[in-house]
Amino acid sequence: SLHCASNADAIADSLKALHEGDSLDTVEKNLDTIGDRASGDSDHEVEKAVKDLDQAVEDYNKAVLDGDTSPDASRIDAAAGRLKDLCGS
């Protein structure tokens, strides 16, 4: 869908910000944008992928707040990859 395709930039920006150690606020802002775009999407798989990505970021944030100095971002990468795959097909 058109909404899905427009998420690609926000996904890429989020991952870049996360891997460069930028503020998690940047990542969360981009996720809000993705969520807003996907909420009207008729593809339920896309909505689920967005929710999975959001949950992965929440878990990452929790790990940071709990004192983890090198939290595992692999779930974020996997969820973002799934969303990109869905949006690219």
Side-chain angles (χ1 to χ4, degrees):
S1 84
L2 182 59
H3 291 293
C4 188
S6 65
N7 289 334
D9 288 337
I11 295 166
D13 289 346
S14 292
L15 292 175
K16 180 180 177 191
L18 182 67
H19 288 290
E20 291 180 352
D22 287 353
S23 167
L24 290 175
D25 292 338
T26 301
V27 176
E28 289 172 344
K29 183 181 121 192
N30 289 340
L31 279 175
D32 287 344
T33 300
I34 294 167
D36 290 346
R37 290 177 184 163
S39 65
D41 203 305
S42 61
D43 188 339
H44 297 291
E45 282 191 61
V46 171
E47 280 191 63
K48 182 183 179 326
V50 169
K51 287 178 185 176
D52 290 347
L53 179 56
D54 190 44
Q55 184 62 53
V57 169
E58 283 183 35
D59 293 345
Y60 181 93
N61 288 344
K62 183 178 182 323
V64 169
L65 292 173
D66 288 346
D68 189 341
T69 58
S70 60
D72 181 9
S74 64
R75 283 188 50 223
I76 294 173
D77 292 337
R82 174 73 178 138
L83 184 55
K84 283 182 181 179
D85 289 346
L86 287 169
C87 290
S89 60

